[in-house]
Amino acid sequence: MTDRERLLDELRPVAFAVAYRMLGSVSEAEDVIQEALLRVHQALEEGEEIASPRAFVTTVTTRLTINELRSARARRERYFGEWLPEPIITDGQDDPAHHAETADSLSVAMLVLLESLSPEQRAVLLLHDVFDYGFGEIAAIVGKSEAAARQLASRARKHVEEGRPRFRTTREHQAELAARFFAAAEQGDLPGLEALLASDVELTGDGGGKVPALAQSLRGRSRVAHMLITWLRLGTRIPGSLRFVEVNGGPGALYLDEQQRLIGVLALDIADGEITRISSIVNPDKLTHLGPVGDFASLVKSAHDSTPPR
């Protein structure tokens, strides 16, 4: 590996950390990363002096993702059903996620919150609060004055803080709550499930119109618990297994069919000692980066067909 290739290899996780948080999509982030690294390569080929390659690639990646978000926003407005980010496995098994910092800014809940910000607000907030860039540097990156960058960050932070939990739960407590959650779900223990859920817990499914999923999010402890029990009863008729993993920095699981192909990802957001959000991502287009994907729609249809009449 040449020095140039080694540098580009070192810059890839830097670009991914920015691009994924900005876009909430591994596939879109990878496209941006390829272009950003190409621009670094071209700049070096032309003899440009790059004092900080890390800052250079962050600047290029941020500008590219702002442009991508502007066009992606129209696509997401036409998205069928609820939109959730493409999940990443953050326990070291998935290569892109292994290089991305497992911070609060990676959680499904945070990425959904960021989706409601303008591209510039999103960029300024992430660059300042997650990547520790100063407002002078940020202003140059996003093409705004320093005062405007500060104002964008202030508005974005206010919006995000309104939707954030009061305090985060320790990783150990998260793991314990997740274990109790999955045990209660497997046992069909409705009271046990309800005891673990926040009163305003939200259950969201993303099938993208490709496979069956919730048409819209469910909110409330009782409604969500009952839906989970319904899903469980259907799931017992679908051959396969659950593999517990860390998804976007929090507890989660992979749904696998009999051939160990992925058919869905479940992510839990836990805060204030309770499960505050449950995200089920079954859109096959959002799972391909994690490995072979099974035919979830056919499995669900088969399970429904095998349901005895009441």
Side-chain angles (χ1 to χ4, degrees):
M1 184 178 288
T2 66
D3 289 343
R4 177 79 53 80
E5 290 170 335
R6 189 174 296 108
L7 173 63
L8 294 176
D9 194 52
E10 291 171 356
L11 292 178
R12 174 172 287 276
V14 177
F16 179 83
V18 175
Y20 177 72
R21 286 170 172 83
M22 283 288 289
L23 299 169
S25 166
V26 174
S27 54
E28 291 174 4
E30 289 292 350
D31 290 342
V32 164
I33 292 166
Q34 288 300 109
E35 177 63 25
L37 294 179
L38 177 61
R39 294 192 185 187
V40 174
H41 174 75
Q42 289 173 337
L44 293 171
E45 281 288 295
E46 294 167 3
E48 185 175 338
E49 290 290 333
I50 300 179
S52 171
R54 185 184 182 93
F56 186 93
V57 79
T58 297
T59 297
V60 173
T61 301
T62 301
R63 290 173 179 171
L64 288 171
T65 54
I66 287 174
N67 291 335
E68 177 63 26
L69 273 176
R70 286 173 179 151
S71 60
R73 194 167 287 272
R75 294 197 303 273
R76 291 176 188 179
E77 287 174 356
R78 298 191 301 269
Y79 192 78
F80 188 92
E82 299 282 353
W83 180 93
L84 289 173
E86 291 181 14
I88 56 174
I89 310 306
T90 47
D91 57 11
Q93 303 304 311
D94 179 76
D95 185 58
H98 178 67
H99 295 293
E101 301 139 26
T102 54
D104 178 46
S105 59
L106 274 179
S107 74
V108 172
M110 178 56 67
L111 292 175
V112 171
L113 265 177
L114 291 175
E115 187 71 7
S116 62
L117 302 178
S118 72
E120 288 80 7
Q121 286 178 325
R122 195 164 179 163
V124 170
L125 183 69
L126 287 170
L127 288 172
H128 185 267
D129 288 13
V130 177
F131 300 109
D132 296 322
Y133 277 76
F135 282 114
E137 298 170 291
I138 295 170
I141 291 173
V142 299
K144 303 282 186 181
S145 68
E146 186 171 339
R150 289 180 181 275
Q151 189 174 52
L152 283 168
S154 177
R155 289 175 179 170
R157 194 176 297 113
K158 181 180 179 182
H159 177 80
V160 167
E161 290 299 333
E162 288 173 353
R164 260 180 168 165
R166 291 185 300 276
F167 61 89
R168 302 293 296 173
T169 303
T170 66
R171 293 175 72 86
E172 293 76 17
H173 194 198
Q174 285 188 19
E176 180 209 345
L177 282 174
R180 289 165 56 196
F181 169 83
F182 286 115
E186 288 176 358
Q187 295 161 14
D189 179 4
L190 182 61
L193 273 178
E194 290 184 337
L196 299 171
L197 304 178
S199 60
D200 58 349
V201 63
E202 184 173 1
L203 173 63
T204 303
D206 181 345
K210 307 290 180 67
V211 297
L214 289 174
Q216 58 186 21
S217 295
L218 285 183
R219 290 178 176 82
R221 180 182 290 135
S222 178
R223 295 179 70 199
V224 167
H226 278 86
M227 179 57 70
L228 290 171
I229 294 296
T230 299
W231 281 3
L232 172 71
R233 288 172 182 156
L234 179 64
T236 58
R237 294 189 291 276
I238 298 177
S241 60
L242 277 181
R243 180 186 302 163
F244 304 118
V245 295
E246 185 179 274
V247 179
N248 285 71
L254 307 181
Y255 297 101
L256 303 166
D257 66 12
E258 286 186 299
Q259 287 76 44
Q260 297 298 291
R261 295 173 302 188
L262 185 62
I263 55 177
V265 174
L266 188 75
L268 304 180
D269 281 292
I270 298 175
D272 300 349
E274 299 174 308
I275 295 170
T276 56
R277 185 185 185 96
I278 304 167
S279 302
S280 174
I281 303 157
V282 290
N283 181 348
D285 294 344
K286 293 189 174 184
L287 304 177
T288 54
H289 63 284
L290 297 175
V293 178
D295 188 350
F296 182 60
S298 294
L299 290 171
V300 170
K301 183 179 184 302
S302 176
H304 275 301
D305 291 345
S306 67
T307 303
R310 293 186 177 183

